[in-house]
Amino acid sequence: MDRRHFIKLTAITGTGAALTACGNPEHQLIRFIPEDDLVPGVATWKPTICPLCSAGCGVTARVMEGQAEVFRNGQPGVISMGLAKKLEGNPEDAISQGKLCARGQAAIQITYHPDRLANPRKRTGERGSGQFVDISWDEAIKELVGHLDALAAANSQASLALLTKPRRGRRLDLLAEWLRRFGAPAPVTFELFSDDVLRRANEISFGVAQLPTLDLEQAQYVVSFGADFLGAWNSPVAQSAAYGRMRQSRPGGRAKLVHADARLSQTAANADEFVAIKPGTEGVLALGLAHVIIANNLRPAAAAGRAGAAIDGWATGLTAFTPAAVEQRTGVAAARVERLAREFAAHPPAVALVAGPPLAQSNGLFTALAVNALNALAGSLNTPGGVSFVPQPRPAVATRDLSALLQEAAPKVLLIDDVNPVFASPASRQVAGALMRIPFIASFGSFVDETSALADLILPDHSFLESWVEAVPESGAAKAVPISAGPVMRPLYDTRPTIDVLLDVSRRLATPLAPALPNTFEEFLNREETAGVLRAGDSAPAGQAGAEAPALQYIAPQFDGDPTQFPYHFLPYASQALFDGSLAHLPWLQELPDPTTSAMWCSWIEINEHRAEELGIHQGDVIEVASAHGTVRAAAFLNPGLAPDAVAMPVGQGHTNFTRYATGIGVNPVAILAAAEVSGTTALAWSATRVKITRVGGPDDTLILFGGATRERPEETHGR
Amino acid sequence: MAYRWGMAVDIDKCTGCEACVTACHAENNIPTVGAGQASRGRAMHWIRVERYYEGSFPDVRLKFRPVLCQQCDNAPCEAVCPTYAAHQNEDGLNAQVYNRCIGTRYCANACTYNVRFFNFFNPEWPKPLHLQLNPDVSIREVGVMEKCTFCVQRIKAAKTEATAAQRELVDGALQPACAQACPTTAIIFGDLNDPESRVARLARSPRGTKLLEDLGAEPKITYLQKQPWHEPDAY
Amino acid sequence: MNRTLTKPIADDLVRPLFQTSVWFYAIVFAAATVVACGGAAWGYQVWNGIGSAGIRWPVFWGFYLVNFVFWIGISHAGTLISAILRLVNAGWRRPVTRCAEAITVFALMIGAMFPIIHLGRPWLAFWLFPYPSAREIWPNFRSPLAWDFFAINTYLTGSVLFLFLPMIPDFALVRDRSTGWRRTLYGLLAFGWRGTTRQWNRLESAMQIMAVAILPVAVSVHTIVSFDFSMAAVPMWHSTIFGPYFVAGAIFSGIAALIIAMAVLRKTLGLEKYLLPLHFDNLGKLLLLMCILWAYFVFAERLTVWYGNEPSEMAVFWASQRGRFAPFYWTMVICNFVIPFVILTNYKTRTILGCVIASFGVLIGMWLERFLIIVPSLATKQLPYSWGSYAPQPVELTIMAATFAGMILLYALFSKFVPIIAIWELKAGLPSRLDPALQVETSLLSTRLDTEAFSSEAERADRGQP
């Protein structure tokens, strides 16, 4: 008899009699069964994976014993169990390298969120009314199985759709396989700040539909075209760690970082040189640099190879992109273009990167191809200090984008796996309306949000700390190692891991899915390590590599809205704290001062400080931003680092139904965007809307700034 | 030999990402106060990243500077506390004894860095957010001043462990939460009494400056200034 | 003893103790209501947390500390003025001293409450007392707040004695004129005063000692209050001028409070015969002197800061000179300097009404001065990222209103139970001093007061003049 059984037995014999009078003796007993590996007051560390973005940082959770109120068999009770106390980067992990970003640190609040769903729910009121009633898992699964059986009976398995996040490693593989065996089309994925344009460009330029890994650590010269690589783009922890070494603590001196953008973003703030550029013309600047390099024989033109072939005019030396022509289009002085190009060529390894706003223009694909060609010209592909692509263990599964749900032939049953397209789509796409037309929706998220509020059935997932997790990093390290980790703690509530629920459903269908899938995700992960449950090739590879697209001509960026009526570029950006709004429910992140403004718990509209002065707008005044598709009102933040012909707004606030911490705070800039696509792709051109602004009134005290003055010496001293 | 804990913050590496801010909240049980109180200036961030704009568009710069308790040798907060709630401990830390604090808030006024934060109300963690609280750090009640401790609970634990194992603390093995989280390793923590520790070497760096050094508080945090880029052959 | 001469004085001045008008009840009721509201507001604040007030990061001291300094300043009305006038033997002081000393005691009582009201954990305020405790620590004597504790307690004790000592003969006089509970009460308060020469001598020497002793205490107490600020390295706090600047400001506001109190008492208690335009004229001149002195201090302080051109100080300087605090600053300059200077330099406008208007200006101005010392500096410290703002909340305003009502209430009750003018001192100042007990006062000169005070027909009849 081991210690655990001994304690269990003594607890039962010692207290059994006393507890029979208390009701629910079986779950009261749980508190007397300690976890084997825990000593009260002594911390242990367990590995897990940050779930918040697709970077896939390996983290460790500090676990200590504590008293938790939990639900077991639908009954509440207090038990003593291991509780995650803090998330820290896992020093053994190639991506996080023992570090973790602000968002990752706050992920622990998902598990302990007071508004987390504790048990399955069924809709009682009208759709969207938010009226649900608690039901048991048996009832919930029975209901879901009933709808799926009905589809199968009507032989319309193709009317089942699954909406999930893109690039979620083997989990997505398994979900796709589940759908395939049921007879449903590929999963629909949705992400507001997707990098599909860059993946497409990389596919054309380099034959790899993947995000690049940047070797900042060894680069000597870095030109970033709008890429917020220290903020919220791609794999920020890995990129920041490399950036730290690029700045100091490496032999060979300090590299130069040049950042071109229309707004001084957090990453731009760290640049040695900020190049203010007209929105949508970043590709022109990249080709301008290439022109100078080619024209001055600073690098052989042949070096561009396949990447250059994707650009029209490359072979003839890009004669349309002389510094003078570039100045005319981009607003960057010709002499500066010349100097930047010479510096770029003179300091190898030099690397260019592009992401974010430039790729969310109508000509984003062109911009990405131009930057890729510049990289190729500088010979920085697959070299130390350049860009490289991490070999992936298997091709990405085929997915469909959100338009699959918005068409006339809408699915009859929709499963939503923790995505919120109702919030993160332009109002003009009418996602909510499309979802309302779907007869049955089941949602698996842990929270009620704008999308899951429309569901008929909510089957809450475990939090990531309570379930098996895995990741296959797409970028961020030289070698991508698929990682997986077991639960860090026992579940708090009557929730179940989504993937296990679906696997359970697959066996309970009138005609169970065949051949049978694994019983649980854990089993899948463990079996796959050795045998491979899904044979390579089961999932169709994404896109067709190899097929050469015709050379792309420069196209001027197209903006939605007439410049005379809508004189300002509207530049929404991913909030450093709230990302695309999916983290707005975490109080730590709501109260985290925004790096460039110090704002907390609010929305704000950034406007150039001198333009604001001309318009009579003061800090905190309420202004209205109107596009052709809608208006939003928020407080003004006078930003010294924003182009005078642009207004910028962080995405993330403006939730109408997303827990106590996010509901009713701020406004959602995505709502007023035009539903324009980046040409050549289906990605949303979220930076291509034009707006007008009007001052509505004085401060309404919604602008909450942690910091005071924006300048270190705001009041001038006097001369003598 | 006694320890003298110090820190070096490399402004050239700091990207303003604020990972340190959340890490500090998680480690030290710092409450979030909510929108209403935040708008009334009650938000608590033991470490903050100050942002200062210079110039105007398009020739504009933005500097970041993490500011936390500077653990001054000659701390202005300590002298003015009538109850010795603020005092210097044996490791040179400006300790804050929460139980002694009666809330005159004089220390916060005297502190030239404004790094002291006050519990205007009793903190609240709606259940089950309280399960995340670090059991090694006490919860502060209404009317009590609090501030960065250099994660004194980690220091104590590491010292106890080292004493039990009869060895010296290894430089770099002990880190406060902010330094541990910092993705760019801009924050370095260690013992200034050990001349070979990383922090002691950085404190002697030609890039090193102290914040508001002229006021004579003798802060123990060295800020390593940003280095301008130059052509490598300019040397 | 010239009973016929002094009896009407006693009658006039003791009358309010025995006759109570409806107005008295109305005033007491109204003031008590406001005080009760203030008490409730404080209870609310203690229950909910000090966050009910408007203080915030980084402006950790707000209205409570402004009021603290303001009321401690008002307290200089009395003791200091009365002690100085007593020492220099200014004859016209006689009807004024007790009014002034009462203001001192009440203002100190009110002012001393604020440091406790403003505490985060007021229930632990007793930790400021040096007493042997289980915590085994004494208060930190390096802290100016500990100095405050001792300075204010010393001043309060001294002021109470200074007020009480000269009341003893008057209590005896009231005792002798009353019956019932009043006789018992005043008998106790009179400490067995029988008016013997020995007792008069003792009283006189005690008063001389107290007058000499209270002066340095009064100067030190406001200097120490100024140290609360000037000891911290906060821009525009860290200044050597603060000690005398605060003392001057305190006397300035104290005189203004005294003028207003006297004008109110004169009307409500019918003391027109005793509180004469002369007194107001003299106090007006004193107010003018302090007004010029105050303006000099402000000028000296601002000039040195401006000339020094130290960036963090200049930020505070401009914040009040032309920034967000400028409206308060210029109101202060108008109220504290322009209005009193214009009114008081001209003898035609230096009337009772003129003095009262100027005094109201000074009270407003001096309150703003304290606000402008505390808040702009804290809101504009060295690191601009940590700059903030401050707006008072309802609890602070209610408690502030309650302190003003409290002053009215205490004063109304005081004037109800104590002759508000020192009867025996007034008698001592009369031209014919026949009472042998008052021989010590022989050096007193006859002043305009004495001739005017008794020039009414009734008085002349009393004296047997035509």
Side-chain angles (χ1 to χ4, degrees):
Chain A
M1 183 187 282
D2 63 11
R3 171 171 150 269
R4 186 189 180 108
H5 284 104
F6 175 74
I7 294 171
K8 194 189 285 183
L9 201 65
T10 48
I12 291 168
T13 51
T15 56
L19 284 172
T20 44
C22 305
N24 305 321
E26 62 284 349
H27 82 257
Q28 291 284 346
L29 283 178
I30 300 170
R31 68 183 304 163
F32 298 107
I33 305 166
E35 291 185 34
D36 280 343
D37 50 350
L38 286 181
V39 180
V42 178
T44 56
W45 277 264
K46 294 186 178 180
T48 182
I49 301 162
C50 176
L52 298 185
C53 71
S54 46
C57 289
V59 298
T60 55
R62 181 176 190 242
V63 181
M64 290 181 86
E65 197 187 56
Q67 306 279 313
E69 283 175 39
V70 297
F71 281 76
R72 294 288 181 266
N73 308 320
Q75 300 285 338
V78 177
I79 68 166
S80 187
M81 63 183 260
L83 295 167
K85 293 291 179 187
K86 188 170 184 295
L87 299 182
E88 290 161 1
N90 186 345
E92 310 289 321
D93 182 65
I95 307 288
S96 74
Q97 303 163 46
K99 306 297 181 182
L100 199 55
C101 72
R103 296 180 296 277
Q105 303 267 355
I108 195 168
Q109 289 196 319
I110 291 175
T111 303
Y112 298 124
H113 199 289
D115 294 335
R116 207 182 124 194
L117 296 170
N119 39 356
R121 288 181 180 190
K122 190 183 156 123
R123 177 169 65 83
T124 53
E126 285 291 301
R127 263 205 176 160
S129 66
Q131 288 172 314
F132 290 93
V133 65
D134 292 352
I135 55 171
S136 73
W137 274 102
D138 283 343
E139 291 169 298
I141 289 175
K142 204 173 156 192
E143 168 126 14
L144 180 57
V145 167
H147 280 91
L148 295 176
D149 281 343
L151 281 188
N155 207 18
S156 55
Q157 284 96 334
S159 293
L160 170 68
L162 173 82
L163 177 60
T164 185
K165 290 177 183 169
R167 288 177 311 288
R168 284 301 188 271
R170 285 164 287 170
R171 187 175 189 272
L172 186 56
D173 293 352
L174 188 55
L175 286 172
E177 186 57 24
W178 190 97
L179 288 174
R180 199 179 68 84
R181 292 185 188 179
F182 185 78
V188 178
T189 59
F190 175 80
E191 193 171 36
L192 171 61
F193 295 112
S194 80
D195 289 300
D196 291 344
V197 177
L198 186 53
R199 286 196 189 83
R200 176 76 189 124
N202 289 343
E203 189 180 13
I204 296 171
S205 300
F206 309 122
V208 194
Q210 199 183 328
L211 292 186
T213 299
L214 303 156
D215 188 11
L216 295 170
E217 192 171 345
Q218 299 187 64
Q220 284 294 348
Y221 203 89
V222 182
V223 183
S224 163
F225 296 90
D228 190 20
F229 66 95
L230 299 173
W233 176 68
N234 194 3
S235 192
V237 176
Q239 285 152 190
S240 295
Y243 169 85
R245 292 188 285 269
M246 168 188 131
R247 279 303 189 209
Q248 297 286 337
S249 66
R250 73 167 189 191
R254 186 178 174 282
K256 180 169 182 178
L257 171 62
V258 179
H259 191 99
D261 206 343
R263 172 181 168 269
L264 191 76
S265 65
Q266 186 217 335
T267 302
N270 290 294
D272 297 284
E273 186 171 344
F274 171 61
V275 181
I277 189 166
K278 287 182 191 162
T281 65
E282 291 85 353
V284 175
L285 177 61
L287 294 186
L289 300 180
H291 167 87
V292 174
I293 292 170
I294 295 169
N296 295 286
N297 269 330
L298 300 171
R299 272 286 185 282
R306 172 190 171 125
I311 306 290
D312 186 54
W314 186 273
T316 53
L318 297 167
T319 45
F321 296 94
T322 60
V326 170
E327 172 171 359
Q328 204 185 0
R329 285 198 179 129
T330 63
V332 182
R336 195 177 191 188
V337 176
E338 181 94 25
R339 172 175 60 79
L340 287 174
R342 287 176 181 278
E343 282 181 4
F344 188 77
H347 297 98
V351 66
L353 62 150
V354 62
L359 306 189
Q361 299 289 356
S362 62
N363 63 349
L365 188 60
F366 164 78
T367 303
L369 290 173
V371 175
N372 282 349
L374 179 63
N375 267 330
L377 180 68
S380 49
L381 183 67
N382 292 325
T383 53
V387 258
S388 60
F389 296 94
V390 179
Q392 294 290 292
R394 72 174 60 76
V397 294
T399 55
R400 303 181 294 159
D401 67 30
L402 192 63
S403 57
L405 300 182
L406 307 178
Q407 290 153 2
E408 282 306 307
K412 293 200 172 66
V413 174
L414 175 65
L415 310 178
I416 301 174
D417 177 27
D418 199 21
V419 261
N420 191 358
V422 173
F423 171 81
S425 300
S428 54
R429 289 197 84 174
Q430 300 187 323
V431 176
L435 293 185
M436 291 293 267
R437 289 195 295 274
I438 296 174
F440 180 78
I441 299 177
S443 168
F444 294 92
S446 292
F447 297 93
V448 173
D449 59 23
E450 289 82 356
T451 304
S452 63
L454 302 177
D456 303 283
L457 194 62
I458 300 182
L459 303 113
D461 198 353
H462 275 352
S463 101
F464 71 106
L465 293 174
E466 300 161 343
S467 42
W468 276 86
V469 287
E470 54 80 47
V472 186
E474 181 186 14
S475 151
K479 188 163 176 271
V481 182
I483 48 174
S484 58
V488 161
M489 56 187 268
R490 298 191 211 158
L492 291 175
Y493 300 125
D494 193 11
T495 55
R496 291 188 189 179
T498 298
I499 199 127
D500 289 358
V501 171
L502 287 174
L503 293 172
D504 189 21
V505 165
S506 77
R507 292 187 297 274
R508 293 208 201 184
L509 293 171
T511 42
L513 296 188
L517 287 161
N519 286 321
T520 61
F521 191 43
E522 177 187 358
E523 187 187 313
F524 168 70
L525 290 173
N526 291 336
R527 265 168 58 190
E528 202 204 20
E529 300 295 333
T530 51
V533 179
L534 308 176
R535 290 187 319 279
D538 268 9
S539 316
Q544 292 300 311
E548 288 282 340
L552 202 65
Q553 274 193 316
Y554 169 70
I555 41 168
Q558 301 291 315
F559 300 102
D560 180 89
D562 174 23
T564 52
Q565 199 193 344
F566 300 103
Y568 295 92
H569 293 284
F570 188 50
L571 308 175
Y573 62 92
S575 157
Q576 170 69 7
L578 312 179
F579 194 42
D580 55 3
S582 56
L583 306 179
H585 60 321
L586 304 183
W588 281 343
L589 297 178
Q590 281 280 3
E591 202 155 305
L592 188 70
D594 176 73
T596 58
T597 61
S598 85
M600 313 173 282
W601 294 101
C602 65
S603 277
W604 65 95
I605 296 166
E606 291 174 26
I607 174 171
N608 177 279
E609 56 174 1
H610 297 302
R611 178 55 57 89
E613 201 175 313
E614 290 163 27
L615 298 174
I617 294 170
H618 299 100
Q619 185 97 313
D621 283 359
V622 179
I623 54 179
E624 183 173 275
V625 172
S627 75
H629 309 278
T631 61
V632 288
R633 282 184 183 185
F637 178 85
L638 308 194
N639 187 344
L642 181 64
D645 62 347
V647 290
M649 263 190 94
V651 176
Q653 303 283 22
H655 283 279
T656 55
N657 186 1
F658 190 34
T659 80
R660 67 185 73 180
Y661 295 112
T663 304
I665 290 183
V667 290
N668 184 3
V670 181
I672 66 165
L673 294 180
E677 287 180 351
V678 178
S679 70
T681 74
T682 57
L684 177 70
W686 46 262
S687 211
T689 307
R690 298 191 71 104
V691 292
K692 61 182 175 186
I693 55 174
T694 357
R695 183 179 179 276
V696 178
D700 61 351
D701 294 329
T702 54
L703 182 67
I704 304 173
L705 298 181
F706 180 66
T710 47
R711 289 176 187 274
E712 195 158 15
R713 285 281 157 256
E715 283 285 357
E716 296 301 315
T717 52
H718 57 83
R720 286 272 173 88
Chain B
M1 187 165 152
Y3 296 103
R4 187 162 166 270
W5 302 112
M7 190 178 271
V9 179
D10 194 336
I11 301 290
D12 204 8
K13 284 180 165 189
C14 174
T15 65
C17 74
E18 310 212 7
C20 50
V21 181
T22 319
C24 182
H25 272 255
E27 174 72 20
N28 291 301
N29 298 340
I30 304 173
T32 46
V33 298
Q37 288 301 310
S39 74
R40 290 175 56 185
R42 274 82 185 268
M44 295 183 181
H45 299 296
W46 288 4
I47 181 170
R48 63 174 184 262
V49 182
E50 297 193 342
R51 48 100 187 92
Y52 293 117
Y53 285 91
E54 283 172 5
S56 54
F57 194 89
D59 298 317
V60 59
R61 298 185 69 84
L62 175 57
K63 293 195 308 186
F64 295 117
R65 180 207 287 148
V67 177
L68 61 162
C69 176
Q70 308 283 310
Q71 311 286 354
C72 309
D73 282 343
N74 187 11
C77 55
E78 289 168 2
V80 300
C81 175
T83 58
Y84 288 109
H87 73 101
Q88 190 110 167
N89 83 357
E90 69 278 9
D91 289 355
L93 297 179
N94 302 127
Q96 176 75 6
V97 183
Y98 305 127
N99 284 342
R100 284 183 195 162
C101 179
I102 61 173
T104 66
R105 306 185 291 287
Y106 200 170
C107 53
N109 287 346
C111 173
T112 45
Y113 305 98
N114 273 343
V115 291
R116 292 179 153 262
F117 294 90
F118 189 64
N119 287 275
F120 288 96
F121 293 104
N122 268 321
E124 278 178 34
W125 286 275
K127 281 184 180 177
L129 274 177
H130 69 289
L131 294 181
Q132 183 274 328
L133 294 175
N134 184 354
D136 298 341
V137 177
S138 53
I139 305 290
R140 286 76 63 182
E141 72 163 17
V142 62
V144 169
M145 193 61 76
E146 61 183 59
K147 60 153 198 100
C148 164
T149 63
F150 268 1
C151 286
V152 69
Q153 67 280 4
R154 293 187 177 201
I155 294 174
K156 292 231 160 172
K159 278 165 74 177
T160 310
E161 209 173 294
T163 311
Q166 294 184 321
R167 58 171 173 79
E168 290 285 301
L169 278 176
V170 183
D171 183 43
L174 164 63
Q175 292 190 94
C178 52
Q180 184 186 23
C182 180
T184 60
T185 332
I187 303 176
I188 300 293
F189 175 82
D191 179 15
L192 289 169
N193 274 349
D194 171 7
E196 289 312 308
S197 69
R198 280 189 303 166
V199 70
R201 276 182 281 129
L202 288 173
R204 298 191 293 267
S205 158
R207 288 195 294 134
T209 58
K210 300 279 173 73
L211 194 53
L212 302 178
E213 193 170 11
D214 51 337
L215 294 177
E218 294 174 35
K220 281 199 273 291
I221 298 184
T222 304
Y223 286 89
L224 304 171
Q225 290 307 307
K226 214 168 179 64
Q227 224 173 355
W229 180 79
H230 52 77
E231 298 276 347
D233 53 356
Y235 273 124
Chain C
M1 183 190 278
N2 190 347
R3 281 247 169 237
T4 51
L5 183 64
T6 57
K7 192 168 179 294
I9 301 178
D11 284 347
D12 278 353
L13 296 176
V14 172
R15 195 186 309 118
L17 276 58
F18 294 93
Q19 293 173 3
T20 311
S21 73
V22 181
W23 282 110
F24 173 79
Y25 288 114
I27 288 170
V28 167
F29 178 77
T33 309
V34 179
V35 170
C37 288
W42 191 45
Y44 172 86
Q45 178 183 292
V46 171
W47 184 258
N48 283 291
I50 184 71
S52 312
I55 42 167
R56 52 171 291 170
W57 180 82
V59 185
F60 284 106
W61 287 357
F63 263 35
Y64 293 143
L65 264 284
V66 172
N67 283 317
F68 164 65
V69 183
F70 176 76
W71 281 112
I72 300 289
I74 296 291
S75 77
H76 283 52
T79 314
L80 196 57
I81 295 163
S82 122
I84 292 171
L85 295 181
R86 201 181 287 275
L87 285 177
V88 301
N89 251 338
W92 60 271
R93 74 162 202 279
R94 292 168 189 284
V96 175
T97 49
R98 187 163 295 160
C99 278
E101 287 156 14
I103 289 178
T104 295
V105 171
F106 298 146
L108 264 181
M109 285 160 62
I110 291 169
M113 288 195 309
F114 277 106
I116 295 170
I117 292 173
H118 109 127
L119 283 185
R121 301 202 289 176
W123 50 92
L124 298 176
F126 66 94
W127 285 0
L128 284 170
F129 285 63
Y131 71 103
S133 72
R135 297 180 302 126
E136 297 197 327
I137 48 171
W138 289 76
N140 179 3
F141 292 109
R142 290 190 301 164
S143 169
L145 289 184
W147 311 344
D148 262 356
F149 175 80
F150 293 105
I152 291 171
N153 277 321
T154 311
Y155 191 39
L156 186 59
T157 314
S159 303
V160 169
L161 284 175
F162 198 59
L163 172 69
F164 188 75
L165 283 178
M167 289 202 299
I168 292 175
D170 285 354
F171 283 140
L173 183 131
V174 180
R175 173 195 64 197
D176 297 344
R177 286 171 167 240
S178 55
T179 54
W181 63 269
R182 281 200 176 88
R183 196 175 175 84
T184 320
L185 173 71
Y186 290 107
L188 286 171
L189 289 171
F191 279 97
W193 178 271
R194 285 175 290 117
T196 62
T197 310
R198 196 176 135 89
Q199 282 177 331
W200 280 116
N201 285 339
R202 285 271 166 85
L203 179 67
E204 273 306 322
S205 45
M207 288 306 295
Q208 288 295 323
I209 292 167
M210 283 306 300
V212 172
I214 204 80
L215 274 174
V217 174
V219 170
S220 74
V221 77
H222 223 67
T223 305
I224 287 173
V225 166
S226 84
F227 286 175
D228 287 350
F229 306 100
S230 58
M231 292 294 154
V234 172
M236 288 199 70
W237 277 13
H238 198 51
S239 152
T240 52
I241 209 172
F242 260 35
Y245 178 29
F246 270 54
V247 175
I251 299 172
F252 189 31
S253 61
I255 296 169
L258 176 60
I259 290 174
I260 291 168
M262 279 168 51
V264 171
L265 291 172
R266 185 171 183 270
K267 276 280 171 218
T268 51
L269 301 182
L271 300 178
E272 285 87 350
K273 276 188 296 188
Y274 304 96
L275 299 173
L276 303 171
L278 164 87
H279 296 116
F280 289 90
D281 187 71
N282 280 346
L283 284 172
K285 285 176 188 162
L286 208 50
L287 191 66
L288 178 62
L289 173 73
M290 297 313 297
C291 167
I292 294 165
L293 188 61
W294 176 86
Y296 162 73
F297 272 120
V298 172
F299 174 73
E301 186 210 20
R302 298 248 146 200
L303 178 70
T304 47
V305 167
W306 179 80
Y307 197 89
N309 206 18
E310 205 272 306
S312 60
E313 298 226 303
M314 287 308 280
V316 184
F317 179 84
W318 290 126
S320 53
Q321 208 77 18
R322 65 180 182 200
R324 51 199 167 136
F325 296 104
F328 302 111
Y329 178 79
W330 293 108
T331 309
M332 172 191 81
V333 170
I334 290 167
C335 286
N336 259 0
F337 183 71
V338 178
I339 292 176
F341 190 81
V342 168
I343 291 178
L344 299 176
T345 41
N346 187 340
Y347 74 93
K348 281 181 188 159
T349 48
R350 203 163 59 229
T351 58
I352 296 180
L353 181 65
C355 286
V356 169
I357 291 172
S359 297
F360 268 112
V362 170
L363 284 191
I364 294 168
M366 282 310 294
W367 193 93
L368 286 173
E369 189 228 44
R370 272 68 204 251
F371 177 82
L372 287 165
I373 284 172
I374 295 176
V375 173
S377 285
L378 290 179
T380 323
K381 278 163 77 175
Q382 282 89 347
L383 299 176
Y385 182 85
S386 66
W387 288 4
S389 57
Y390 166 80
Q393 294 300 307
V395 281
E396 287 163 293
L397 297 171
T398 311
I399 289 175
M400 180 175 157
T403 57
F404 283 93
M407 189 72 192
I408 293 168
L409 180 64
L410 288 169
Y411 223 81
L413 293 174
F414 182 76
S415 64
K416 185 71 211 156
F417 290 103
V418 179
I420 196 67
I421 291 175
I423 299 168
W424 68 268
E425 286 204 79
L426 202 59
K427 285 179 189 169
L430 289 182
S432 30
R433 286 165 303 277
L434 302 173
D435 190 337
L438 299 180
Q439 288 305 313
V440 286
E441 293 264 347
T442 47
S443 65
L444 284 178
L445 295 172
S446 176
T447 63
R448 257 177 75 210
L449 157 75
D450 304 317
T451 49
E452 279 186 17
F454 304 101
S455 60
S456 71
E457 282 188 31
E459 299 286 332
R460 279 199 298 276
D462 268 357
R463 287 192 225 171
Q465 291 167 352

